[in-house]
C-alpha cells in the first residue's frame, strides 16, 4: 500500500473513546483489523490523483466519486454508491482586511463507508473545531459509529455557515443606517451595500442545498443514522434551514434598502430640478423682455476697451464660482 504524499490526519474511535491518533496511513488496515468495532477518520489535504487512487483501492471508492473529489467547485450534494456515500459541502468564513470584508469557503468532499469517514479538503481550513465537536460529544460515538463522525462534520459546517450569516446581518445594520440618511447615501456606501449583496449570493450557493443534503443523509436505506443520532441530525437540518431563511431575509432586506436609497436620490433630484426650473423661469422674464426690445444699456466701461476686459473677467469668475459650488454639492 502506497501512502499518500499529501498531509493527512487520522483518528480512531471505539466505544466513544479515541484510541489512536496521527498514525501513519500504512497503519490504517492494521488498526481496523485490531479493533473491529472502531471507526476511522482519515483527512486528506489537497491530494493528487495517485493519493486518491491508493485510498480508493483500499476503501473500494467509486471512480465517479473520486473524480468529483478531484474536481473543484462541485455543487453541494449527496450521492449513494454501492459501497459508500459521497458528499460535497462547503465550510465558509469571513475575514476583514483593510476595512474590506472578504468571503472564503473551503470545499470538502466526504466519503462515508461502513467504518471510515474520509474527508478531502481542497484548501486550508481549521479541522480543530471538528475534532473538538467530536470530543465534546464522544458518548454518541458508542452507538452512532461512523454516523456520529458524519454528524459532527455536518454540525460544524452548518454552525460555521450560520455564524457567517449572523456577521453579515450585524454588518448590514451599519449599512442600513447609512443608506437611510436624508438625501441619499454616498457612493461608497452604496458600493458597500452592493458588495454585501454579492457576498450573500455567494453564501447562498453554498448554504441553500444543505437542508436537503442533511435530510438525505437520514434516509433509512443509507443506514447511516440510528434512532439515537436521528434527533441530532434533525437539529442540524433545522439549523441549516434557519440559515437559509436568514440569507433570504437578508437578500430581501438589502434589495429593499437599495431601492429605498434610489427612491430618496430620485426625490432629491426632483427637488433640485424643480428649483432650477423655478430660477430659470425667473431669469427668463427679463431676458425675454430685453431681448425682444433689443435693449443694450450702457454700463461702466461701455464702448471702452477696459470695459470688455472687466465684463469678460466677471463672466469667468462667476462661472468658476458657480462650477465650484455645484461640484461641492455633488451636482457635477
Amino acid at each position: 500500500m502506497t501512502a499518500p504524499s499529501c498531509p493527512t490526519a487520522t483518528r480512531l474511535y471505539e466505544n466513544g473513546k479515541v484510541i489512536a491518533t496521527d498514525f501513519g496511513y500504512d497503519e490504517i488496515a492494521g488498526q481496523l483489523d485490531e479493533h473491529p468495532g472502531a471507526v476511522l477518520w482519515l483527512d486528506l489535504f489537497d491530494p493528487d490523483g495517485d493519493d486518491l487512487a491508493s485510498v480508493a483501492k483500499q476503501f473500494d471508492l467509486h471512480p465517479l466519486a473520486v473524480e468529483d473529489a478531484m474536481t473543484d467547485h462541485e455543487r453541494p450534494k449527496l450521492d449513494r454508491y454501492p459501497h459508500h456515500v459521497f458528499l460535497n459541502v462547503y465550510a465558509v468564513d469571513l475575514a476583514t482586511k483593510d476595512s474590506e470584508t472578504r468571503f472564503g469557503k473551503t470545499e470538502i468532499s466526504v466519503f462515508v463507508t461502513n467504518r471510515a469517514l474520509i474527508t478531502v479538503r481542497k484548501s486550508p481550513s481549521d479541522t480543530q473545531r471538528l475534532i473538538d465537536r467530536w470530543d465534546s460529544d464522544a458518548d454518541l460515538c458508542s452507538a452512532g459509529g461512523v454516523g456520529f463522525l458524519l454528524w459532527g462534520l455536518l454540525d460544524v459546517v452548518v454552525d460555521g455557515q450560520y455564524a457567517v450569516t449572523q456577521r453579515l446581518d450585524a454588518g448590514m445594520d451599519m449599512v442600513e443606517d447609512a443608506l437611510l440618511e436624508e438625501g441619499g447615501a454616498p457612493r461608497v456606501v452604496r458600493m458597500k451595500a452592493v458588495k454585501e449583496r454579492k457576498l450573500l449570493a455567494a453564501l447562498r450557493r453554498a448554504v441553500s442545498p444543505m437542508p436537503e443534503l442533511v435530510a438525505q443523509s437520514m434516509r433509512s436505506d443509507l443506514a447511516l443514522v440510528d434512532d439515537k443520532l436521528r434527533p441530532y441530525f434533525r437539529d442540524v437540518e433545522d439549523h441549516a434551514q434557519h440559515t437559509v431563511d436568514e440569507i433570504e431575509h437578508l437578500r430581501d432586506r438589502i434589495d429593499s434598502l437599495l431601492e429605498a436609497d434610489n427612491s430618496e436620490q430620485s426625490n432629491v433630484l426632483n427637488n433640485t430640478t424643480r428649483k432650477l426650473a423655478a430660477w430659470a423661469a425667473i431669469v427668463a422674464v427679463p431676458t425675454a423682455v430685453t431681448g425682444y426690445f433689443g435693449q443694450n444699456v450702457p454700463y461702466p466701461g461701455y464702448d471702452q476697451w477696459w470695459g470688455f476686459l472687466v465684463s469678460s473677467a466677471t463672466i469667468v469668475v462667476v462661472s468658476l464660482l458657480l462650477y465650484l459650488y455645484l461640484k461641492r454639492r455633488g451636482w457635477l
Side-chain angles (χ1 to χ4, degrees), residues 293-315:
F293 289 102
Q295 291 176 292
N296 290 317
V297 180
Y299 56 89
Y302 180 76
D303 204 22
Q304 299 291 329
W305 67 267
W306 58 268
F308 172 76
L309 295 179
V310 171
S311 63
S312 299
T314 301
I315 292 173

Side-chain angles (χ1 to χ4, degrees), residues 7-49:
T8 61
T10 51
R11 287 171 73 89
L12 197 68
Y13 290 84
E14 185 176 30
N15 296 324
K17 298 180 180 180
V18 180
I19 59 175
T21 60
D22 298 327
F23 47 89
Y25 179 79
D26 54 353
E27 301 177 50
I28 288 178
Q31 290 281 4
L32 292 175
D33 290 340
E34 184 179 351
H35 305 278
V39 292
L40 167 75
W41 172 52
L42 170 64
D43 179 67
L44 304 175
F45 172 65
D46 194 22
D48 57 27

Side-chain angles (χ1 to χ4, degrees), residues 86-254:
F86 175 80
L87 300 91
N88 205 69
V89 297
Y90 286 90
V92 300
D93 61 1
L94 285 180
T96 302
K97 184 177 181 180
D98 299 330
S99 301
E100 181 179 355
T101 301
R102 300 181 181 182
F103 173 73
K105 61 182 181 179
T106 300
E107 187 175 1
I108 305 175
S109 298
V110 185
F111 300 90
V112 187
T113 70
N114 290 333
R115 298 189 60 194
L117 181 83
I118 304 169
T119 54
V120 179
R121 294 180 294 119
K122 301 176 183 179
S123 56
S125 62
D126 182 15
T127 59
Q128 188 59 46
R129 292 178 54 205
L130 179 58
I131 294 173
D132 292 342
R133 182 61 50 86
W134 285 333
D135 290 348
S136 63
D137 295 278
D139 57 322
L140 293 175
C141 183
S142 59
V146 73
F148 158 76
L149 298 179
L150 178 60
W151 163 78
L153 172 66
L154 293 176
D155 195 37
V156 167
V157 168
V158 170
D159 282 354
Q161 293 171 347
Y162 182 72
V164 167
T165 304
Q166 292 298 102
R167 287 185 59 186
L168 287 176
D169 188 17
M172 198 171 295
D173 290 338
M174 295 182 290
V175 175
E176 181 177 24
D177 294 338
L179 281 174
L180 295 181
E181 288 183 355
E182 183 179 357
R187 185 177 185 277
V188 64
V189 176
R190 296 198 303 273
M191 293 306 299
K192 186 173 182 179
V194 171
K195 289 181 180 180
E196 291 279 342
R197 186 165 58 180
K198 290 182 178 180
L199 287 177
L200 285 171
L203 181 60
R204 183 176 181 271
R205 287 192 292 269
V207 173
S208 58
M210 290 303 295
E212 179 63 23
L213 188 150
V214 178
Q216 290 182 20
S217 68
M218 292 188 287
R219 284 165 34 190
S220 58
D221 58 325
L222 297 182
L224 292 176
V225 182
D226 58 17
D227 291 339
K228 185 176 181 180
L229 279 176
R230 194 170 301 277
Y232 293 89
F233 272 82
R234 286 176 178 166
D235 181 65
V236 175
E237 181 186 10
D238 180 68
H239 288 173
Q241 186 60 57
H242 183 50
T243 303
V244 173
D245 293 342
E246 283 291 315
I247 292 174
E248 296 299 332
H249 167 69
L250 291 177
R251 291 182 68 202
D252 293 341
R253 182 181 173 190
I254 196 68

Side-chain angles (χ1 to χ4, degrees), residues 322-332:
L322 182 60
Y323 169 80
L324 294 175
Y325 172 76
L326 296 177
K327 185 73 172 179
R328 185 176 182 183
R329 293 292 300 271
W331 295 359
L332 293 176

